Amino acid sequence: MSTLLVPYYEHPSVRPAEWDAIVAAAPRLYGVVLNPASGPGEAPDPAFAEVAARLRAAGTRVLGYADTDYGRRPHADVARDLGRHRAWYGTDGAFLDQVAAGVEEFAHYRHLASAAWAAGYTTITLNHGTEPHPCYARVADLLVTFEGDWTAYRAGPRRPWPGTGARVCHLVHGVPAGVDLAATARERGASVHCAVPGTGDHPWGTLPHTLEPRR
């Protein structure tokens, strides 16, 4: 079972070797998050279109990134981003970021999921970054119930998320080389994960140690 989700937010023309390494690892991946400009951008980017086509040909999911601002971003704006991702990059999965976790916002995300399905998406990932209300599993294939640094992850709850109906993912940055996050994530109920060494404001500009290209 493919267990690695890769959110890699660097341009293919700037980091071609890293993108080559991601494509080469396709059989091991749950999917790759495509994020040209904090979303699809205002026009198609040929470099991202090319790498998306290579990823699809290699057999991995390509997830289009859309920020939801914890339910504050208008439905139409998020739906527009998802439509552009499908039209420009052929994404088959949606990665909704900054997703609210409370039951009060669930109706908003149910409508966004309906828009994603109507646009042709086959999988939906919701990045709460924390444990959400179990109702969100009704509209998602994958729930990110932790996003944060290695120090916080080690100190966090060791029990599995109590919800059912969707796979669980943990995204951890600042992870030292040699750490087997997959084993720790499984113990905490996450069958999908990503562990990168990056820190600071842009940790997802680094790859997991296991994917780093040889120089």
Side-chain angles (χ1 to χ4, degrees):
M1 183 180 291
S2 302
T3 61
L4 187 60
L5 175 67
V6 181
Y8 186 58
Y9 302 158
E10 292 288 334
H11 199 276
S13 66
V14 177
R15 296 284 190 270
E18 284 76 2
W19 278 104
D20 288 346
I22 294 171
V23 173
R28 293 189 282 141
L29 305 183
Y30 175 87
V32 178
V33 181
L34 205 71
N35 187 13
S38 296
E42 294 301 318
D45 185 317
F48 274 103
E50 179 185 11
V51 80
R54 292 173 62 200
L55 288 166
R56 291 197 309 273
T60 195
R61 294 180 182 88
V62 183
L63 284 64
Y65 176 98
D67 182 14
T68 72
D69 194 22
Y70 302 103
R72 293 185 291 264
R73 191 163 180 237
H75 176 281
D77 291 351
V78 179
R80 180 195 62 211
D81 281 358
L82 295 177
R84 286 177 172 178
H85 273 299
R86 280 286 291 167
W88 297 346
Y89 307 115
T91 50
D92 49 11
F95 183 91
L96 301 185
D97 197 18
Q98 299 197 107
V99 174
V103 67
E104 299 83 1
E105 296 86 4
F106 175 68
H108 175 71
Y109 287 96
R110 185 178 64 236
H111 293 150
L112 286 178
S114 295
W117 293 324
Y121 284 94
T122 57
T123 62
I124 297 174
T125 296
L126 301 181
N127 182 14
H128 304 276
T130 190
E131 294 187 354
H133 189 278
C135 63
Y136 286 90
R138 289 157 45 191
V139 298
D141 301 277
L142 185 69
L143 297 173
V144 180
T145 64
F146 180 91
E147 181 180 359
D149 66 25
W150 173 237
T151 300
Y153 190 65
R154 286 187 299 171
R158 297 182 179 274
R159 55 168 172 64
W161 179 66
T164 59
R167 294 176 72 179
V168 170
C169 175
H170 294 164
L171 301 178
V172 189
H173 49 80
V175 180
V179 170
D180 181 9
L181 187 77
T184 305
R186 284 194 301 270
E187 291 172 358
R188 301 184 184 193
S191 63
V192 179
H193 72 282
C194 186
V196 300
T199 59
D201 294 335
H202 185 45
W204 306 113
T206 58
L207 287 179
H209 292 292
T210 56
L211 297 190
E212 289 175 350
R214 294 181 180 180
R215 301 295 184 180

